[in-house]
Amino acid sequence: MSTIRVTGFVDGFNFYHAIDDLRLHHLKWVNIHALCEHFAPRPQFDLTDVFYFSAYATWRPDPYKRHREYVKALKQAGVTPVMGRFKPKDRGCFKCGHQWQDHEEKETDVNIALRMMREGFADSYDRALLVSGDSDLVPAVKMVRSEFPEKQVKIITPLGRDHSMDLFRAAGGKKNCKKMKLFHVERSLFGRKVVDSTGIVIATRPEKYDPPGR
């Protein structure tokens, strides 16, 4: 039987907020390449690429610093970051008249869709592994399945979340959807130090992401 080529497409914010809602901050220091390997185990599968889609909250110094450290760790693990941006957005309260500036994440959904299509046209995968529960990605899933009927799209719903039924249906139902479990993430965490092949430290786990009891 021939090996099935798999490419991972990880919706960084959707995954991050799923972990954040569980208050399990140490799980944010996860090697998503290793995580995807749980859903594409050798020798039946060959995980050829993993793409991580996110954006930096540059106006928040501490989260920005942690995020940059995390992206350095991901690069060392062979993950390709595809970074979008945040756009300032004015908001206000109709009752009291108070106004403030918020930020809205832009480009991630489009980046995921474009990359899935680009890699599809390049024939770099037989199966796309989409880690997200965001129904905004339904058009991307439908397009991939329409343009490349010989390819599969597997949805991995982030930890603690229920399937998006729209994504569930777009991917073709139960056989193409799976929920992430706690052990998948716990077994995929980076160590405190992430080093290169020569032993040079590339990234260090932020204190906020230290495991409980450490």
Side-chain angles (χ1 to χ4, degrees), residues 199-214:
I200 294 176
V201 176
I202 302 299
T204 302
R205 183 177 63 214
E207 288 187 12
K208 186 172 182 177
Y209 297 163
D210 284 344
R214 295 290 180 88

Side-chain angles (χ1 to χ4, degrees), residues 67-103:
H67 200 174
R68 283 181 295 165
E69 199 72 7
Y70 181 54
V71 169
K72 288 192 291 183
L74 291 180
K75 288 181 178 179
Q76 181 57 34
V79 174
T80 301
V82 181
M83 306 305 286
R85 63 187 179 90
F86 280 93
K87 180 181 178 180
K89 186 171 184 177
D90 293 329
R91 296 188 183 277
C93 175
F94 290 109
K95 290 185 178 180
C96 69
H98 177 67
Q99 295 184 334
W100 68 94
Q101 188 177 77
D102 202 352
H103 293 79

Side-chain angles (χ1 to χ4, degrees), residues 27 30 76 83 105 113 129 158 165:
L27 299 184
V30 60
Q76 181 57 34
M83 306 305 286
E105 186 272 325
L129 202 68
M165 295 312 298

